[in-house]
Amino acid sequence: MVPAGAAANLPEHPDILAAGARLAPLVEAYRAAGARKLAARAAYDRLAPPVPDDLVARRDWYGLGFAEDERDAEGKRVLVAGSLGLKLRKIIQSENLLRAIEEQGEASPVGLLAAALLPAARQHEALVAAARTGAGLDAAIEAEFRAARDLERAAYDIAKQPARTIAGLRIKALALAACTALGTEQSYHASVLIGPSLAETALSVLPATSA
């Protein structure tokens, strides 16, 4: 560690300057990917069909294994308004119906019920898949994931670089700020990996003050 206050007389380390130069374009790429995903999600929401009432599992069907918790286009659970407030619905899935038919037998009461529900489930899932494709949602989600991964890797690379001046300290701070925009999990990782490096650099380059 460079003694506090001595950094003013040192040039900044070229490695962190180079790493910092790579950060800004990655931040912009992540923001652009996020905007594209929001647009694709809005398009999907316009195209996607509502869940037919027949595919909303009745409570007495829960034990049959036909249904899964309702989720949105990005895999998050969906809460809908009910008579007693918000509630989570279970939506019948064709994969689960086929499994029930195979396990219980086609002629069993459960198998017959599953077979009766199967055409509607398949039709709905096909319409959902067409909406995802038409909106370009999966490609947009993947592009945002790749952009976030690239930005996170760049920020961690910055955390490992030595810094000697205010310029280097600012680059480390920008890396930490960039990671906090990526989501809760990435923000936690950023605070663990980048935070100590940022603090060490601050102690090195900022002049000591008396209390």
Side-chain angles (χ1 to χ4, degrees):
M1 180 186 296
V2 178
N9 299 319
L10 295 174
E12 186 51 87
H13 199 289
D15 288 348
I16 194 168
L17 293 176
R22 293 191 294 269
L23 183 65
L26 293 173
V27 170
E28 289 305 313
Y30 173 71
R31 289 173 177 166
R36 287 195 297 271
K37 191 195 76 171
L38 287 176
R41 175 62 191 272
Y44 168 83
D45 288 341
R46 292 192 298 270
L47 295 171
V51 179
D53 291 341
D54 290 346
L55 296 182
V56 179
R58 293 168 16 186
R59 188 168 294 276
D60 57 332
W61 289 354
Y62 283 6
L64 300 179
F66 290 174
E68 306 285 347
D69 291 344
E70 184 175 13
R71 296 180 182 272
D72 67 12
E74 297 177 66
K76 299 175 183 177
R77 286 185 171 88
V78 174
L79 293 174
V80 297
S83 58
L84 300 178
L86 295 177
K87 65 178 183 179
L88 184 66
R89 302 192 303 181
K90 289 188 176 293
I91 307 303
I92 294 168
Q93 309 289 326
S94 65
E95 181 180 0
N96 294 354
L97 296 174
L98 290 169
R99 185 182 305 115
I101 293 170
E102 181 179 355
E103 292 176 353
Q104 301 294 327
E106 295 181 5
S108 69
V110 172
L112 290 171
L113 176 59
L117 294 167
L118 186 57
R122 281 175 164 165
Q123 181 182 30
H124 176 68
E125 290 163 12
L127 292 173
V128 168
R132 295 184 75 94
T133 300
L137 181 59
D138 292 326
I141 290 173
E142 176 64 20
E144 186 190 45
F145 171 79
R146 290 196 304 268
R149 179 195 59 198
D150 292 344
L151 177 56
E152 190 174 8
R153 287 175 176 172
Y156 293 165
D157 181 54
I158 287 171
K160 294 183 294 183
Q161 301 297 335
R164 306 178 220 178
T165 69
I166 292 293
L169 176 63
R170 183 174 185 274
I171 289 170
K172 288 180 181 277
L174 289 171
L176 179 59
C179 279
T180 60
L182 298 180
T184 303
E185 183 177 354
Q186 290 91 338
S187 296
Y188 172 76
H189 291 163
S191 65
V192 171
L193 295 176
I194 305 176
S197 174
L198 178 63
E200 182 178 350
T201 302
L203 290 172
S204 296
V205 305
L206 296 177
T209 58
S210 58

